[in-house]
């Protein structure tokens, strides 16, 4: 509540924009072509009114660690290289004793009996998997690869390399550069309002996990009782791939 007895509420979602770049071979061919994106550790709920004002970033993160359970498996099949999606607030700290000195340390992991665990990131920290096809310039190397990126503001200017937080009402911008089949570089930035780095930028309203590609048709429907009829032309769907059959 501010000095005018007004209760200030911030949307519990954060907007995220991710762009992938790779070597352009010409004729519309690139070194890396995404085939799908998968979203992990999406909180099932959240606090409507935080315990601490969001403008006091350090105290806010300390006193509002996300306790809601998470769910995973949201998948978007697309070859778009720029996507926008909305994540519910998910505040998580790095594991105790974590050693993170560069971006790649955020994704260090260990496999044990077929189970993958992250060495430095909290088990419930939000992350995205990017699946796609890589082809070298000489065509001798081809691979189906998956790149993992934990969300957060790990910018050298506005964030921290050990930041795994998705803060409500913010806009995170991720730039992914695929240099080689096993070499990517990721930059992240949290956009804020004005000159105050602790005031999040205002976002359009959205509910749940919303995924927007750069083209196509967008529908807003009720999650419980609503039906729509969509008509497709044969010419529009002949190029579809990854068709799942029984």
């Amino acid at each position: 509540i501010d000095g005018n007895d007004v209760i200030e509420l911030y949307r519990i979602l954060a907007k995220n924009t991710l762009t992938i770049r790779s070597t352009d071979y010409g004729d519309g061919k690139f070194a890396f072509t995404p085939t799908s994106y998968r979203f992990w550790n999406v909180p099932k709920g959240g606090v409507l009114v935080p315990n601490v004002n969001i403008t006091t970033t350090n105290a806010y993160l300390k006193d509002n660690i996300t306790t809601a359970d998470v769910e995973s498996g949201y998948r978007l099949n697309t070859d778009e290289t720029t996507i926008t999606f909305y994540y519910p607030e998910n505040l998580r700290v790095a594991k105790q004793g974590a050693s993170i000195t560069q971006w790649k340390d955020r994704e260090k992991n260990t496999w044990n009996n077929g189970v993958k665990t992250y060495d430095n990131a909290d088990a419930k920290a939000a992350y995205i998997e990017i699946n796609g096809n890589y082809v070298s310039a000489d065509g001798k190397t081809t691979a189906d690869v998956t790149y993992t990126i934990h969300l957060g503001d790990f910018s050298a200017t506005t964030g921290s390399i050990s930041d795994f937080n998705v803060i409500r009402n913010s806009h995170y911008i991720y730039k992914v550069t695929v240099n080689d089949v096993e070499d990517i570089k990721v930059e992240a930035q949290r956009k804020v309002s004005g000159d105050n780095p602790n005031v999040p930028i205002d976002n359009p309203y959205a509910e749940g996990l919303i995924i927007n590609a750069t083209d196509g048709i967008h529908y807003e429907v009720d999650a419980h009782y609503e039906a729509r009829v969509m008509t497709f032309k044969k010419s529009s769907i002949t190029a579809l791939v990854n068709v799942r059959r029984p």
Side-chain angles (χ1 to χ4, degrees):
I1 302 178
D2 65 12
N4 297 317
D5 294 329
V6 175
I7 298 177
E8 296 181 344
L9 299 178
Y10 292 95
R11 298 180 181 93
I12 199 172
L13 302 178
K15 181 180 180 181
N16 300 264
T17 302
L18 183 145
T19 300
I20 302 175
R21 300 171 181 171
S22 65
T23 303
D24 186 348
Y25 296 151
D27 295 328
K29 298 180 180 179
F30 295 84
F32 177 77
T33 302
T35 55
S36 66
Y37 301 83
R38 195 163 187 175
F39 306 90
W40 296 88
N41 290 342
V42 181
K44 294 181 178 180
V47 178
L48 179 61
V49 180
N51 297 324
V52 178
N53 193 298
I54 196 172
T55 58
T56 55
T57 301
N58 292 333
Y60 179 77
L61 297 177
K62 178 181 178 181
D63 293 344
N64 290 280
I65 294 298
T66 302
T67 58
D69 199 5
V70 296
E71 56 187 354
S72 301
Y74 292 97
R75 186 184 184 97
L76 171 66
N77 293 321
T78 181
D79 60 359
E80 295 284 351
T81 55
T82 296
I83 62 171
T84 296
F85 55 97
Y86 290 79
Y87 243 88
E89 181 172 70
N90 192 355
L91 307 181
R92 307 287 178 177
V93 297
K95 286 184 176 178
Q96 186 174 3
S99 177
I100 306 175
T101 59
Q102 57 180 332
W103 171 78
K104 293 181 179 180
D105 293 336
R106 296 170 56 87
E107 310 305 331
K108 287 185 64 176
N109 59 81
T110 302
W111 285 89
N112 186 17
N113 295 325
V115 178
K116 180 180 181 181
T117 58
Y118 289 95
D119 298 349
N120 296 316
D122 184 272
K124 294 184 178 180
Y127 67 93
I128 179 175
E129 285 182 348
I130 305 171
N131 304 293
N133 303 316
Y134 176 86
V135 181
S136 62
D138 57 12
K140 296 181 179 180
T141 300
T142 61
D144 293 329
V145 294
T146 298
Y147 301 121
T148 300
I149 301 171
H150 274 86
L151 305 183
D153 181 7
F154 42 92
S155 165
T157 55
T158 61
S160 166
I161 195 66
S162 58
D163 186 324
F164 293 95
N165 299 297
V166 178
I167 301 176
R168 67 179 65 201
N169 217 58
S170 301
H171 183 191
Y172 291 87
I173 299 174
Y174 301 93
K175 297 179 181 179
V176 182
T177 303
V178 179
N179 297 314
D180 201 346
V181 66
E182 295 182 327
D183 180 17
I184 69 171
K185 177 182 179 183
V186 181
E187 302 173 41
Q189 179 187 13
R190 175 177 172 237
K191 292 187 68 175
V192 296
S193 299
D195 297 324
N196 186 345
N198 296 322
V199 178
I201 194 169
D202 191 26
N203 292 327
Y205 176 79
E207 278 189 335
L209 184 70
I210 299 175
I211 303 169
N212 293 323
T214 55
D215 58 11
I217 300 174
H218 178 91
Y219 290 100
E220 293 185 2
V221 297
D222 181 83
H224 301 90
Y225 307 105
E226 185 162 346
R228 295 289 184 95
V229 176
M230 292 181 286
T231 302
F232 299 90
K233 295 181 179 179
K234 183 178 181 180
S235 59
S236 301
I237 63 175
T238 52
L240 288 179
V241 294
N242 293 331
V243 176
R244 181 178 296 178
R245 296 181 173 86

